[in-house]
Amino acid sequence: MPESDDELAARVVAGGDRRAFAVLVNRHQSLVRGMLARLTGRSADADDLAQETFVQAWRRIATYRGQGGFRSWLCQIAYSRFLMNARKDRSRARLMEAAAREPEPEAPGSGHAGERLDLDRALAGLSQDERACIVLCHGAGLSHSEAADITGLALGTVKSHVNRGRAKLKAWYEEREKAA
């Protein structure tokens, strides 16, 4: 029977067991990459952030206490990496915008009716918190409570973001279907 995440994490903490950590990485890399790909909308950025997540997890493994499970702890690190990257991107974008003195580019998703519908374009129309809650709860299959722990938002706020985000996604798809 395979070892649990907690047993593997304990082996890593106790003796720096790289093989146990490799098992944890293999077990959770698809979840982390998928979550980050949906949050960023760019798979290359998601791969970089996933790598940073696992490096950070290796460095911080001694802080894992088993509360909420390893998967939630790892997703919390991934979400923190995403937020840090998003802040850098916003800062970089403001600098580029000031230097170019051009109007903001056209909003994502505003295109011709014949364009292919995709989830990433629809997610781009949500606020950062709505997108994060939708991706964590529906994309990564985490509970509302786990998403609240990861994002630092209140449970009720997470539920509200999920409900609003779902409604916005539904409206986005319905609008595109009417236009097609």
Side-chain angles (χ1 to χ4, degrees):
M1 184 164 121
E3 290 180 276
S4 71
D5 289 347
D6 288 341
E7 291 168 332
L8 291 166
R11 284 180 36 205
V12 176
V13 170
D17 188 334
R18 291 177 186 264
R19 287 187 183 143
F21 191 74
V23 171
L24 289 168
V25 170
N26 287 332
R27 194 175 282 177
H28 298 289
Q29 66 184 346
S30 293
L31 168 72
V32 170
R33 281 191 173 123
M35 180 186 95
L36 290 167
R38 292 293 182 208
L39 287 170
T40 64
R42 298 179 304 267
S43 62
D45 289 348
D47 288 343
D48 291 344
L49 290 173
Q51 185 174 0
E52 290 176 25
T53 296
F54 288 110
V55 168
Q56 189 72 16
W58 172 259
R59 290 179 182 152
R60 294 180 46 202
I61 191 77
T63 67
Y64 173 65
R65 302 286 179 241
Q67 298 167 324
F70 186 81
R71 182 175 77 149
S72 293
W73 180 78
L74 193 57
C75 285
Q76 187 170 20
I77 293 171
Y79 186 66
S80 294
R81 303 307 305 173
F82 162 73
L83 289 176
M84 288 174 31
N85 190 62
R87 280 192 292 271
K88 287 180 194 174
D89 284 350
R90 281 192 303 273
S91 178
R92 189 176 312 123
R94 281 193 300 268
L95 287 173
M96 295 299 288
E97 204 173 286
R101 295 187 186 218
E102 291 182 13
E104 285 188 41
E106 193 172 293
S110 62
H112 303 290
E115 287 185 28
R116 184 174 68 95
L117 298 177
D118 67 27
L119 181 59
D120 292 331
R121 185 172 292 140
L123 287 170
L126 302 179
S127 74
Q128 183 174 316
D129 285 341
E130 290 167 343
R131 185 172 55 250
C133 292
I134 288 285
V135 167
L136 290 170
C137 293
H138 291 289
L142 299 173
S143 69
H144 289 133
S145 295
E146 290 171 316
D149 290 340
I150 290 166
T151 61
L153 298 171
L155 178 60
T157 303
V158 168
K159 290 178 180 181
S160 294
H161 284 314
V162 167
N163 288 333
R164 265 195 308 276
R166 261 196 321 236
K168 287 180 181 179
L169 290 172
K170 181 180 177 192
W172 188 90
Y173 277 106
E174 287 173 353
E175 181 181 318
R176 296 315 181 268
E177 282 184 19
K178 286 179 188 176

